Amino acid sequence: MFLALTADDRFWDKSQKILFLSQGCLLHDTRRALWQGLDYEVLPNLWHDPEQLNSAIAYVDVCAEKMLERIGRYLSDLHQHPYHEEHWRIILYAWLQRYIHVLYDRYRHIRLAFEKHADLTTRISQAGLIEPTHDLAHYTHICREDSYNFQICSEIISITNSPPPTSAKENTESVECAPPILEGGFQLRDSVLLYKIHHRHEDMLAQLENSLGDVLQRYPETLFARDQLPTPDPKFDPARNGLINIPADDDFERILVNTLPKSFPTLYLEGYKDSIKTIHKLFPILPRLIISSAHGWYTQEVFKFLAGVAKTQGCQIISMQAGGANGTYKFFAQQAHEERFADRELVWGWAKPDDTKRRTIPCFYTSKILALAALNKNEYRGPSVLFLQAGPLERYLRWMYSTPYGGGSGEPYLAWQMRFLAALPNSTRSNLFYREKPQRDDGQNFSGRIKERFPDLRVEDTYAVPAPDRILDPEVRLIVIDHCSTGYLESFTANKPTILFWDPNLWLMNSVATKLFDDMREVGILHNSPESAARWVQKIYESPLEWWRSDKVQSVRH
């Protein structure tokens, strides 16, 4: 049997039965013919078993924390400044966390494939051929590509079957170190920087800006452009090669450390010294308080360097919730990241009364809907059923979440959509329109496959009509949502009859959210199968408000 690592059929041996490493190897657009006639099977996804997923998430979380300290101390010594854990967490951790999640996913599935099939053969790329990475945005782009996944899988197999490499410590060439660059030269001003608060928070922003007055620190947006920072090529000198000496505690960490010289982003190594100098030049006076949402803490590199430097000088940081996953999912990588460096968090309703770090604020996505709903006296007697799709769901896993949003689980998610649509009577399905979230043009072809099976289904691009307008549309009598995210918060705020369904083995919630969702199940809002949801749609379709406005449903909605 032959192990196919990616969807690139140039590296398949079609003369043998093929074992595909994941569903991501199968393209469902015009390239379906590449595999449909083959003798093949697909390796089971380990993370569709909740116990396996929970164990893996616990492992990678501990691994990322250990590696952050070890790599951060290595880089601090290299650049001759004291180790500041929060400095490296803000600048480096978002990439490191994602890289570990990607690498561990591929490692575990490759190991499973060879454990299940002793006679397995495969093809790998030439050793050392890994595309250089500049920063997190660059890595986010390449880690969804077949070429990168072939390279990283090849590297895992090569390292697994090779003796430990010679330590880079044997290289006696001197390392050119930067002078101390974080100590001194910066000043803190009693000011506040607001950055990347989502565009749908404009009302809140206006109130904040008015209340802050002269305390608000304003910078031209051009200062935060990515081209302010360097994009150097990797130099395989003692500084980069020395990453191989980072301590490793087990086989996976050994593989991780051995890939670092080839995979470590150049901005955080070769470009670090010049980036700090640039921050010094652009922002010689730093704010004493920074407020941002998730839209700032990941791929906005100038802002991350600014915040990382400011944190070493005593700046306080407030992180603001930006989506419906925080406080709901059993594990959400962004929440785990942000809560560890933020001094305060502003969250949507789930802060406990005695929580000294978190404060509850309104969900600003829904505030506008609430205001419009108060003015809308229409009884929603139109015939339409609005179906809200999740997205985008990546073909390859790029983050380990306790939900399919991390990637790699698009097929079971799509299967539940198909089952729901098939379970609806034609008369009801003809009144449904499918609000499509833009997906990657990566061969999964979700909408195309749905249209292929249900050619008369009405489909609407999610950007064609703003979400508040569509949710409040009087022609929409009922909303159906097949995923746990911000959408149901918006429909609940609009007080529009809403039916939810998702696979409880793929969407794992924390204990507090589980209690809330159990209450929703009791009153018919949330269903554990698409067929149950379809039956409920049919049951209440003629008089959805009679059910929705009952005391028991409204008590759960609130």
Side-chain angles (χ1 to χ4, degrees):
M1 182 178 283
F2 181 84
L3 176 63
L5 301 173
T6 71
D8 190 340
D9 70 310
R10 295 175 301 170
F11 303 106
W12 302 353
D13 182 353
K14 299 177 185 178
S15 67
Q16 302 185 55
K17 182 176 181 178
I18 292 180
L19 175 66
F20 289 110
L21 187 64
S22 72
Q23 286 285 349
C25 298
L26 305 181
L27 303 178
H28 293 271
D29 51 15
T30 57
R31 293 165 287 182
R32 274 187 288 194
L34 295 175
W35 54 269
Q36 280 186 324
L38 300 177
D39 183 13
Y40 75 90
E41 62 183 76
V42 181
L43 191 71
N45 189 322
L46 286 166
W47 319 136
H48 293 170
D49 178 342
E51 289 188 9
Q52 290 272 13
L53 178 60
N54 289 335
S55 176
I57 284 173
Y59 174 84
V60 295
D61 195 45
V62 170
C63 178
E65 289 299 302
K66 289 191 293 185
M67 287 298 160
L68 175 66
E69 179 178 3
R70 293 170 186 177
I71 296 172
R73 290 191 181 280
Y74 174 83
L75 296 174
S76 294
D77 291 345
L78 182 69
H79 296 294
Q80 297 183 334
H81 63 66
Y83 171 68
H84 295 277
E85 184 266 341
E86 290 173 320
H87 174 79
W88 292 113
R89 185 177 295 280
I90 291 169
I91 292 174
L92 176 63
Y93 187 80
W95 169 81
L96 180 64
Q97 181 191 56
R98 186 173 300 192
Y99 181 66
I100 289 174
H101 288 198
V102 167
L103 194 70
Y104 188 71
D105 170 71
R106 307 326 184 247
Y107 162 75
R108 285 291 306 276
H109 284 94
I110 289 170
R111 192 176 75 175
L112 176 65
F114 281 97
E115 288 173 351
K116 289 173 68 71
H117 303 279
D119 61 340
L120 203 59
T121 62
T122 191
R123 291 174 183 165
I124 62 175
S125 66
Q126 181 180 346
L129 293 180
I130 295 182
E131 183 177 346
T133 304
H134 300 307
D135 53 25
L136 178 57
H138 183 208
Y139 184 72
T140 300
H141 173 74
I142 68 171
C143 76
R144 63 172 68 110
E145 301 293 333
D146 289 313
S147 57
Y148 174 80
N149 279 280
F150 186 70
Q151 292 165 5
I152 204 67
C153 288
S154 297
E155 195 73 5
I156 291 169
I157 294 170
S158 178
I159 293 171
T160 301
N161 293 304
S162 300
T166 302
S167 170
K169 290 179 180 177
E170 296 181 4
N171 192 329
T172 58
E173 183 181 348
S174 62
V175 178
E176 180 182 353
C177 295
I181 48 182
L182 285 182
E183 304 305 309
F186 290 98
Q187 298 179 37
L188 280 181
R189 173 176 175 260
D190 289 334
S191 61
V192 178
L193 169 63
L194 302 177
Y195 185 75
K196 286 293 178 183
I197 310 299
H198 195 273
H199 65 88
R200 286 171 70 182
H201 294 174
E202 63 268 16
D203 293 340
M204 180 214 67
L205 271 175
Q207 294 177 26
L208 269 177
E209 290 175 352
N210 289 335
S211 64
L212 290 170
D214 293 338
V215 177
L216 182 65
Q217 185 77 51
R218 299 180 185 274
Y219 297 109
E221 188 62 31
T222 54
L223 294 188
F224 295 97
R226 174 61 180 88
D227 59 11
Q228 296 279 7
L229 302 183
T231 309
D233 292 326
K235 296 179 181 178
F236 291 95
D237 57 9
R240 177 167 285 273
N241 292 333
L243 288 164
I244 207 170
N245 296 320
I246 301 294
D249 297 333
D250 57 29
D251 287 342
F252 171 72
E253 289 185 9
R254 181 174 72 87
I255 291 172
L256 168 64
V257 167
N258 275 272
T259 65
L260 287 178
K262 299 169 187 174
S263 298
F264 198 80
T266 60
L267 178 64
Y268 313 137
L269 184 60
E270 288 87 355
Y272 176 82
K273 173 183 175 181
D274 288 339
S275 295
I276 296 296
K277 288 182 177 179
T278 297
I279 296 302
H280 194 289
K281 177 182 177 181
L282 296 177
F283 310 100
I285 299 178
L286 302 173
R288 195 171 293 278
L289 176 64
I290 293 175
I291 304 175
S292 185
S293 71
H295 302 283
W297 298 119
Y298 296 92
T299 59
Q300 305 298 318
E301 297 293 351
V302 175
F303 172 71
K304 284 162 53 183
F305 269 84
L306 167 61
V309 170
K311 191 66 176 171
T312 67
Q313 308 300 309
C315 175
Q316 297 284 294
I317 288 177
I318 295 177
S319 183
M320 179 180 294
Q321 183 166 343
N326 298 63
T328 303
Y329 296 172
K330 189 168 186 178
F331 180 80
F332 183 47
Q334 287 98 315
Q335 180 181 335
H337 174 37
E338 293 162 32
E339 68 186 10
R340 287 168 178 158
F341 68 75
D343 298 285
R344 295 287 186 273
E345 296 177 77
L346 303 179
V347 302
W348 297 348
W350 50 276
K352 297 179 180 178
D354 59 347
D355 194 333
T356 59
K357 183 174 181 177
R358 298 185 180 97
R359 291 290 182 271
T360 288
I361 59 171
C363 169
F364 294 103
Y365 289 143
T366 61
S367 295
K368 180 176 290 187
I369 292 177
L370 184 64
L372 293 172
L375 299 174
N376 193 337
K377 304 303 182 183
N378 196 291
E379 291 293 311
Y380 306 129
R381 296 296 187 186
S384 295
V385 177
L386 173 63
F387 185 97
L388 300 183
Q389 178 205 32
L393 300 180
E394 301 288 351
R395 183 157 55 97
Y396 293 115
L397 182 143
R398 63 188 182 106
W399 248 329
M400 296 194 82
Y401 290 170
S402 58
T403 76
Y405 269 124
S409 297
E411 289 306 304
Y413 170 76
L414 179 63
W416 273 49
Q417 282 192 12
M418 294 283 200
R419 286 168 54 187
F420 172 77
L421 293 170
L424 287 178
N426 290 336
S427 58
T428 306
R429 193 167 59 242
S430 65
N431 287 318
L432 183 143
F433 66 95
Y434 180 95
R435 188 168 165 89
E436 176 189 13
K437 272 284 187 77
Q439 303 291 328
R440 310 289 183 201
D441 184 17
D442 62 358
Q444 293 187 96
N445 193 29
F446 288 157
S447 297
R449 285 191 275 169
I450 287 174
K451 294 173 189 174
E452 193 175 78
R453 184 167 175 186
F454 305 101
D456 296 329
L457 187 68
R458 292 183 295 163
V459 177
E460 174 183 86
D461 187 310
T462 193
Y463 294 123
V465 179
D469 295 342
R470 179 56 76 207
I471 288 172
L472 291 167
D473 185 349
E475 290 300 306
V476 173
R477 70 193 295 119
L478 180 62
I479 297 175
V480 178
I481 303 173
D482 69 343
H483 59 282
C484 180
S485 190
T486 314
Y488 80 90
L489 299 177
E490 295 175 318
S491 65
F492 279 21
T493 301
N495 205 12
K496 181 74 70 85
T498 302
I499 294 174
L500 311 174
F501 71 92
W502 52 70
D503 185 343
N505 288 319
L506 293 181
W507 299 82
L508 307 180
M509 308 303 167
N510 65 39
S511 58
V512 175
T514 295
K515 173 61 171 62
L516 295 174
F517 289 128
D518 284 345
D519 291 343
M520 293 184 196
R521 291 183 178 95
E522 288 292 323
V523 298
I525 296 175
L526 176 59
H527 297 258
N528 284 346
S529 77
E531 291 78 14
S532 172
R535 288 193 296 270
W536 196 256
V537 168
Q538 191 63 16
K539 179 178 180 179
I540 68 167
Y541 179 78
E542 292 301 327
S543 303
L545 290 175
E546 182 179 342
W547 160 70
W548 185 254
R549 291 183 177 174
S550 65
D551 290 343
K552 63 179 183 178
V553 171
Q554 286 296 302
S555 66
V556 171
R557 181 184 77 87
H558 288 296

